């Protein structure tokens, strides 16, 4: 059993969450102005397949804690976290040291593998 993408409406904007098998949110998708924009990001993530791991990287966030950031580009040595033209896909929910959050990449990848899409916008 895989996880699922859940599309939600928050006020006037849309976003998606990636839930693991147990229903826990492991990745918060980037906000989109339309539901179609969010669906395009979900389709993009699904199209990466096994290459999705190259689009997830640990970046330093607030309070010297690291998070996993998803971007539409392949992470290359020397550019991680510094690519200005990358399209943001969202962030992992885990925070901690670089090594701690890198371990959560596998959880995100597993949740995305064969994940279903559920629309909870009511539209």
């Amino acid at each position: 059993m895989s996880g699922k993408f859940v599309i939600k409406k928050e006020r006037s904007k849309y976003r998606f969450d990636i839930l693991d098998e147990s229903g826990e949110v492991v990745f918060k998708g980037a906000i989109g102005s339309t539901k179609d924009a969010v669906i395009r990001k979900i389709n993009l993530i699904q199209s990466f397949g096994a290459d999705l791991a190259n689009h997830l990287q640990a970046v330093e966030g607030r309070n010297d804690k690291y998070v996993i950031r998803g971007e539409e580009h392949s992470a290359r040595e020397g550019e991680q976290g510094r690519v200005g033209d990358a399209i943001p896909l969202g962030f992992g929910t885990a925070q901690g040291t670089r090594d701690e959050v890198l371990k959560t990449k596998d959880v995100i990848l597993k949740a995305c593998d064969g994940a279903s899409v559920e629309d909870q916008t009511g539209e």
Side-chain angles (χ1 to χ4, degrees), residues 10 28 39 43 48 52 78:
E10 297 177 353
K28 300 282 288 175
I39 291 170
N43 291 338
F48 290 145
L52 177 58

Side-chain angles (χ1 to χ4, degrees), residues 26-98:
V26 295
F27 190 86
K28 300 282 288 175
I31 293 175
S33 57
T34 65
K35 184 164 67 168
D36 286 340
V38 169
I39 291 170
R40 280 193 302 273
K41 288 183 182 186
I42 291 170
N43 291 338
L44 182 63
I45 289 171
Q46 291 175 323
S47 74
F48 290 145
D51 192 44
L52 177 58
N54 293 328
H55 296 271
L56 300 175
Q57 53 192 301
V59 294
E60 192 169 1
R62 297 183 185 149
N63 302 321
D64 299 322
K65 302 237 184 226
Y66 282 80
V67 296
I68 293 292
R69 179 170 66 192
E71 295 178 336
E72 184 205 5
H73 75 82
S74 292
R76 295 177 296 272
E77 191 63 36
E79 294 183 351
Q80 293 187 354
R82 295 175 191 81
V83 180
D85 62 349
I87 296 172
L89 299 174
F91 291 90
T93 56
Q95 296 183 20
T97 67
R98 180 177 171 81

Side-chain angles (χ1 to χ4, degrees), residues 7-25:
I7 303 170
K8 296 181 174 191
K9 186 171 185 180
E10 297 177 353
R11 290 179 227 128
S12 63
K13 303 291 183 185
Y14 298 84
R15 90 165 26 215
F16 66 93
D17 292 334
I18 299 173
L19 283 63
D20 65 9
E21 292 178 353
S22 69
E24 182 180 342
V25 176

Side-chain angles (χ1 to χ4, degrees), residues 65-66 68 94-105:
K65 302 237 184 226
Y66 282 80
I68 293 292
Q95 296 183 20
T97 67
R98 180 177 171 81
D99 291 336
E100 288 170 344
V101 298
L102 282 174
K103 292 176 186 173
T104 66
K105 274 177 71 168

